[in-house]
Amino acid sequence: MSSIKISIIVPVYNVESYLQQCLDSIRNQDYKNIEILVVNDGSNDNSGKIIADYVDLDSRIKVINQENGGLSVARNTGINQATGDYIWFVDGDDWIAEGAIDKLVEKLQEKDYDLISFSYLEYQEEQKSYSNPKNIQTIEAISGVDFIAQSNHFFTGSWAYVYKTAFISSNNLKFKPNQIHEDDYFNLECFGRVGKISKLPIALYNYRIRANSLTTALSAKAIRNRVSSYLTLMELSNTITDLDTNFLKKKEEEYTSNAVRLLDQYCGAATSRSEKLQLIKQVKKQIISVRITNEDWNASKIWTLKMKAFGWNAYLFFLVEEMSLIYYQNKR
């Protein structure tokens, strides 16, 4: 069992309150043939000191200090430094289950897998409560297309997978810098190229949901960045050729719906008229390149937006009218 080495990449940015639990959950695993690559992405709290203390405690921990570049850049730094046979991305405010690596390595010894997946628990920080295990399912697949077809729910979180290092390297897979939904981007590219995949029906990861985390922030700037991120994903799903077209169409619809929903929030949060109109035009430009069918239209958020528009939100009214034109043009 000890022949397989696991590289665990931990990106860290201002998570001093959670970092000890994360690192303890990794270094206290029974399976010892691991390296722990902690990428300190320009933290300005006590995270750096905590990491330094752990380096003294465990020779398997290696710290890489860098200027703040975001989660994607931090993970890419870890990929470049990894020497293990497999890579597991563990966020600095999350933690892994007891005995998790033993279970993963036991499975990895069965076949030459490119990817191993597993279930996880969500931990609500404010309520101090755990969810039931998410996406419990057993899958044995020979390709990414096969895995997605078998999945009850295709989850894109990169921490819910362990990746073969040689697979990442040979396909030059990297996380896209400045992409908020970086896991979607990474795995949409990954699953078109992956070979043997297995999913274990057990929860091996604890995902912490925080009110002030990047994906839950509701400032106008954060919303704008998330809208731009969805537009990038819409463009990507339009260009990928090695995944099932129906699956990609559903992902595109999902990203479109999310972008429009967030645009609604942005119009309420932003104060600058020119910024609102600029983002509306950005969304329109991207959506106009997507052929919208009757089914897409009826299933979209546009009707909700239209109702809100009649509540005299001029920006939403402008958006609805513009998107109505797109719809009717594509319908003809």
Side-chain angles (χ1 to χ4, degrees):
M1 182 177 283
S2 61
S3 61
I4 295 178
K5 182 178 180 181
I6 307 293
S7 295
I8 301 177
I9 297 172
V10 184
V12 170
Y13 179 70
N14 291 352
V15 288
E16 60 181 2
S17 300
Y18 316 109
L19 188 53
Q20 182 175 345
Q21 182 180 23
C22 174
L23 294 178
D24 283 344
S25 75
I26 299 170
R27 61 184 295 268
N28 292 335
Q29 294 283 311
D30 291 333
Y31 190 84
K32 302 303 181 185
N33 191 15
I34 63 175
E35 66 175 358
I36 308 167
L37 302 172
V38 184
V39 184
N40 183 16
D41 190 42
S43 296
N44 51 33
D45 63 355
N46 287 320
S47 295
K49 184 180 183 306
I50 294 170
I51 297 167
D53 291 341
Y54 271 85
V55 169
D56 293 336
L57 288 174
D58 197 321
S59 62
R60 297 172 301 171
I61 298 177
K62 178 181 179 181
V63 59
I64 303 107
N65 293 302
Q66 63 183 36
E67 293 183 3
N68 180 249
L71 181 58
S72 290
V73 173
R75 285 176 174 168
N76 289 340
T77 296
I79 290 172
N80 293 337
Q81 297 284 332
T83 63
D85 301 295
Y86 286 84
I87 289 174
W88 191 1
F89 301 102
V90 176
D91 289 347
D93 54 351
D94 299 335
W95 69 101
I96 64 176
E98 184 178 349
I101 302 180
D102 273 318
K103 293 180 176 67
L104 289 169
V105 171
E106 182 180 357
K107 187 65 181 178
L108 288 169
Q109 288 181 320
E110 294 180 7
K111 292 180 184 178
D112 186 24
Y113 288 107
D114 284 336
L115 207 59
I116 295 286
S117 180
F118 41 86
S119 177
Y120 61 95
L121 301 176
E122 287 182 349
Y123 177 72
Q124 293 285 348
E125 177 70 19
E126 290 190 1
Q127 291 81 18
K128 308 295 182 189
S129 63
Y130 291 88
S131 70
N132 292 324
K134 297 286 186 178
N135 304 330
I136 287 283
Q137 193 177 1
T138 300
I139 298 177
E140 288 291 327
I142 57 173
S143 69
V145 173
D146 184 24
F147 182 88
I148 292 170
Q150 292 187 54
S151 298
N152 295 332
H153 172 71
F154 176 59
F155 183 69
T156 54
S158 61
W159 40 259
Y161 300 91
V162 171
Y163 303 82
K164 188 176 183 179
T165 308
F167 165 72
I168 289 179
S169 177
S170 62
N171 287 280
N172 195 29
L173 292 173
K174 299 288 185 182
F175 288 89
K176 186 176 176 62
N178 302 316
Q179 177 76 24
I180 292 178
H181 303 280
E182 63 286 318
D183 290 345
D184 280 61
Y185 200 99
F186 184 84
N187 277 322
L188 282 179
E189 291 194 315
C190 166
F191 272 82
R193 309 172 192 178
V194 74
K196 295 186 183 70
I197 314 174
S198 180
K199 182 166 187 180
L200 303 176
I202 48 177
L204 301 181
Y205 192 93
N206 297 282
Y207 174 61
R208 189 188 307 269
I209 299 177
R210 298 187 283 135
N212 63 339
S213 69
L214 182 62
T215 54
T216 57
L218 293 178
S219 69
K221 181 180 178 181
I223 296 170
R224 185 185 187 91
N225 289 339
R226 291 180 68 187
V227 170
S228 297
S229 170
Y230 279 124
L231 296 181
T232 302
L233 288 168
M234 288 162 61
E235 184 178 355
L236 175 66
S237 59
N238 242 343
T239 58
I240 288 179
T241 58
D242 45 16
L243 287 175
D244 179 72
T245 54
N246 288 328
F247 164 75
L248 290 170
K249 185 174 181 297
K250 288 180 181 177
K251 294 302 290 183
E252 191 173 61
E253 292 168 358
E254 174 190 327
Y255 299 142
T256 302
S257 177
N258 287 341
V260 172
R261 173 180 54 80
L262 286 166
L263 185 58
D264 174 18
Q265 292 183 31
Y266 182 76
C267 287
T271 57
S272 167
R273 174 180 294 182
S274 61
E275 288 180 356
K276 292 177 184 180
L277 293 178
Q278 182 184 32
L279 191 58
I280 286 171
K281 289 176 181 178
Q282 243 185 297
V283 172
K284 178 200 168 187
K285 182 179 178 181
Q286 182 63 41
I287 293 179
I288 202 167
S289 67
V290 180
R291 185 168 183 81
I292 303 177
T293 66
N294 287 319
E295 291 76 22
D296 298 334
W297 178 258
N298 292 330
S300 73
K301 299 285 185 179
I302 301 303
W303 294 116
T304 302
L305 284 174
K306 183 163 274 190
M307 285 189 288
K308 290 189 176 183
F310 286 117
W312 310 116
N313 184 324
Y315 303 106
L316 284 178
F317 185 80
F318 172 80
L319 170 65
V320 169
E321 292 308 305
E322 290 286 350
M323 292 187 68
S324 296
L325 288 174
I326 297 166
Y327 168 66
Y328 288 119
Q329 285 171 5
N330 286 330
K331 185 179 175 184
R332 291 191 187 104

